[in-house]
Amino acid sequence: MDKVILITGSNKGIGFEIARQCGKSGLHVIISGRDESRLKGALIQLKKEDIDADSLVMDVSSPESIRKAAEIYSRKNQKIDVLINNAGIVVKGDRSLLQNDEDLLEKTIKTNSYGPLNVIRYFLRFIQSPGRIIMISSTGGQLSREVGGWSPAYCVSKTFLNAISLHLANELRSKNISVNAVSPGWVRTSMGGTFAPRSIEKGAETPVWLAIEAPQKLTGKFFADKTEIPW
Ligand code: NDP
């Protein structure tokens, strides 16, 4: 059977383009997201392009939704070779950690940090050895460069995600499952906006490289443009 890739938050944006590019390379693609009708539309589009694809409704901010999705997935009797934790949000009004609504940071972290961790928790039993896990992070999460200036709750959530990535790389090393984080750059999507300099195709390039081509032994690293960057 073809290799299988599950991508969270892939009914649009960078996740959808990762699905398209991986599908074109011959992987069996499972797209996912909350919005069922958008998910249906995305699946139709992939199939029109002769991509072998399936879909799974899953809200990564809800452990119960992830658990249900894993239960549904288990009925397929199908392994996963690559998991891409791509789903992410920026909550409107994220301007200052002190002045944001009290629940804004929690809401952001629930989706962007606990979400990927819980998806791994529930889907690990399907992941092959060797296998690959890729976390879509952001340079906003880097602590090695100047911190601050935009969407602070979002940036904190991606720093948290980076820390989770490093710890899981260590925990999953003995299972031969790599865990790496990637910054896609500033990309023209609903999240990135129309002024972003990067195309969606370019934003998907490094995640796709990590999913298919990068050496399996690479783990516990942070990448941008197929190059390792500091955390
Ligand atoms: P979009 O807003 O275009 O797409 C986000 C995707 O995530 C959608 O498919 C959405 O589907 C899904 N999603 C959101 N919340 C949830 C949830 N709770 N559960 C499941 N799926 C969810 O964003 P991008 O494509 O731009 O972003 C993709 C990733 O790249 C994110 O992790 C983002 O942080 C990261 N990134 C993006 C940058 C950019 O410039 N665009 C820059 C740096 C990083 P639905 O609403 O149906 O659930």
Side-chain angles (χ1 to χ4, degrees), residues 45-203:
Q45 202 177 322
L46 290 176
K47 290 195 167 165
K48 262 190 202 156
E49 296 190 43
D50 279 336
I51 287 167
D52 181 20
D54 217 333
S55 66
L56 192 61
V57 176
M58 176 162 63
D59 177 352
V60 305
S61 70
S62 155
E64 182 51 20
S65 168
I66 301 171
R67 191 194 61 72
K68 268 194 198 146
E71 194 186 303
I72 291 166
Y73 193 79
S74 71
R75 294 184 211 138
K76 287 180 187 283
N77 215 4
Q78 182 177 272
K79 292 281 182 185
I80 293 171
D81 296 278
V82 186
L83 165 65
I84 303 200
N85 269 309
N86 168 78
I89 54 164
V90 178
V91 178
K92 214 168 163 217
D94 178 11
R95 283 189 207 95
S96 152
L97 284 183
L98 292 174
Q99 285 156 33
N100 283 349
D101 289 345
E102 258 175 50
D103 63 348
L104 192 149
L105 180 60
E106 193 183 332
K107 198 172 164 191
T108 308
I109 282 179
K110 235 183 183 172
T111 298
N112 295 1
S113 326
Y114 288 130
L117 176 60
N118 286 326
V119 172
I120 295 169
R121 205 193 290 279
Y122 284 101
F123 280 80
L124 186 61
R125 62 189 160 128
F126 309 115
I127 299 179
Q128 297 272 41
S129 172
R132 297 170 189 240
I133 296 174
I134 297 150
M135 310 288 224
I136 307 299
S137 184
S138 165
T139 51
Q142 273 181 305
L143 295 179
S144 54
R145 56 194 255 163
E146 201 177 332
V147 166
W150 59 281
S151 306
Y154 173 80
C155 292
V156 167
S157 76
K158 293 295 190 181
T159 304
F160 188 4
L161 180 65
N162 287 354
I164 289 170
S165 306
L166 259 176
H167 279 270
L168 291 186
N170 186 44
E171 286 188 31
L172 296 175
R173 200 180 298 269
S174 62
K175 288 190 192 290
N176 202 8
I177 297 173
S178 62
V179 184
N180 291 296
V182 52
S183 159
W186 185 16
V187 179
R188 287 188 296 278
T189 61
S190 324
M191 181 189 286
T194 49
F195 295 113
R198 286 205 159 191
S199 67
I200 295 190
E201 290 80 4
K202 185 74 185 160

